[in-house]
Amino acid sequence: MIHGELCRVVTSDGLELVGFASLPPGSGTGLLHIHGLDGNFYENRFIDAVADACRNSNCAFLTANTRGHDYISDTIRTDPVTGAVGYARIGGMYERLADCVKDIRAWVGWLTERGCRRIVLQGHSHGAIKVLHYLTTTGDPSVCGLALLSPSDDFGLARQRLGTGFDQAVSLAADMVRSGREHDPMPAELFPYPTSAGAFLDTLGPRSLALAFNLSRTDRRQFPELNAVRVPVLLIVGTVEEAFVQRPEEYITAIRAELKAAPSFDSTIINGAPHNYLGHEPELGAALRPWLTVSVRAGLSQHSYET
């Protein structure tokens, strides 16, 4: 059982987000977990294993919603200018990945205010795209480690699934956005989850942040985001119904080759584990625990960024 507290933050654009935190006394390091596409802070069972690993490493633990939580959510929003309180309709159906910076910045601030001077960013699936983008965009000096849980190669998967129809699907989404229908749903056969035209284009368009993990190289040859990482990195993947098209060993090798500036890199393949690690949660915790203790807390966190 995880002992902790529900917590809330308000982003710079007024959205009220909810999470759950466990804060051991005196810990100067905190792990912030960011969920994947259409997920939330509590859904995956492996959250418990992550919390246990943090507790055993005397590391604070925070699992938090972003504005992309669940498919659709009506969320309290306070207008930053007028102070008026109302509701905003958000969720994975309408998400823009770049907005994650506002969300993660608010949660990092929450941990910092509670004494965590060093922050480990952990992202699962699309959450890995978000924590990578936050780190390399902001250059936040408090970040001392990056844990990537099954980062998704959206482009490789979509091109494999749609074949020659991929480009037509992107063109359809672009046409819908141009005609003012960005919130209209895309045809269900084009994406495995309910999504709007705007979110589809944001995820699979030519300027998508998801290209950072297109290690199948269907749409990208260079990976400046990975090249820029200057903190210890842990990469964990499964072997069943994963969110990439290569063999797990090949995917890990490809990512490692691009992390040219990271002071250390550790990886684990959990045999038999699916994308959400269901039934293999203890193995994930066992991989995370020593990395938190050795690679992050040992002080391998000196880095600098140009922003």
Side-chain angles (χ1 to χ4, degrees):
M1 180 179 294
I2 307 172
H3 297 282
E5 61 181 278
L6 280 174
C7 47
R8 299 174 188 269
V9 295
V10 177
T11 64
S12 60
D13 56 346
L15 288 177
E16 186 174 296
L17 302 176
V18 181
F20 179 88
S22 179
L23 304 172
S27 175
T29 302
L31 181 145
L32 169 60
H33 173 76
I34 299 297
H35 60 80
L37 176 65
D38 303 325
N40 51 54
F41 74 85
Y42 58 85
E43 175 183 4
N44 287 309
R45 290 183 180 177
F46 70 74
I47 293 297
D48 302 62
V50 173
D52 285 342
C54 288
R55 183 176 63 250
N56 291 333
S57 303
N58 193 38
C59 180
F61 168 70
L62 170 60
T63 175
N65 275 350
T66 69
R67 68 190 63 207
H69 73 87
D70 300 288
Y71 292 111
I72 298 176
S73 174
D74 288 334
T75 297
I76 295 173
R77 180 178 184 271
T78 302
D79 189 288
V81 177
T82 67
V85 178
Y87 283 86
R89 179 155 292 181
I90 59 173
M93 181 91 175
Y94 308 114
E95 185 175 27
R96 299 296 184 271
L97 288 170
D99 287 336
C100 72
V101 172
K102 301 185 186 77
D103 304 338
I104 296 174
R105 180 178 283 124
W107 286 119
V108 167
W110 191 93
L111 281 170
T112 301
E113 289 170 0
R114 285 152 183 82
C116 294
R117 299 176 304 278
R118 293 156 51 87
I119 307 295
V120 177
L121 295 180
Q122 176 178 280
H124 173 238
S125 192
H126 265 209
I129 298 170
K130 294 177 182 180
V131 296
L132 176 63
H133 178 69
Y134 174 83
L135 176 59
T136 57
T137 299
T138 68
D140 188 336
S142 70
V143 177
C144 65
L146 197 64
L148 306 173
L149 309 184
S150 296
S152 55
D153 179 1
D154 292 80
F155 283 80
L157 289 171
R159 286 195 179 276
Q160 183 183 72
R161 184 177 66 253
L162 298 175
T164 57
F166 175 87
D167 293 322
Q168 290 90 332
V170 174
S171 294
L172 171 63
D175 289 342
M176 292 173 67
V177 170
R178 279 193 295 268
S179 64
R181 295 184 292 139
E182 64 178 287
H183 296 302
D184 287 0
M186 289 289 286
E189 65 271 16
L190 298 181
F191 202 70
Y193 307 102
T195 189
S196 66
F200 185 95
L201 187 63
D202 184 70
T203 300
L204 294 171
R207 292 181 292 278
S208 173
L209 301 186
L211 286 165
F213 287 102
N214 181 220
L215 277 303
S216 59
R217 288 175 162 80
T218 59
D219 294 75
R220 175 76 88 80
R221 293 292 182 273
Q222 296 180 329
F223 301 88
E225 303 90 352
L226 293 171
N227 298 164
V229 173
R230 296 182 178 89
V231 297
V233 175
L234 173 66
L235 174 63
I236 301 177
V237 300
T239 61
V240 178
E241 296 180 350
E242 262 294 10
F244 45 83
V245 298
Q246 295 151 289
R247 293 174 54 246
E249 297 84 357
E250 295 170 341
Y251 193 55
I252 287 175
T253 298
I255 291 176
R256 180 172 190 168
E258 298 300 333
L259 290 165
K260 306 177 191 303
S264 67
F265 176 85
D266 294 271
S267 63
T268 296
I269 298 173
I270 302 179
N271 288 318
H275 186 59
N276 64 356
Y277 307 102
L278 188 64
H280 296 265
E281 297 86 358
E283 294 157 82
L284 188 151
L288 179 62
R289 190 179 306 116
W291 180 77
L292 280 174
T293 301
V294 176
S295 294
V296 175
R297 296 182 64 80
L300 296 177
S301 60
Q302 297 301 315
H303 62 282
S304 60
Y305 290 87
E306 294 181 3
T307 58

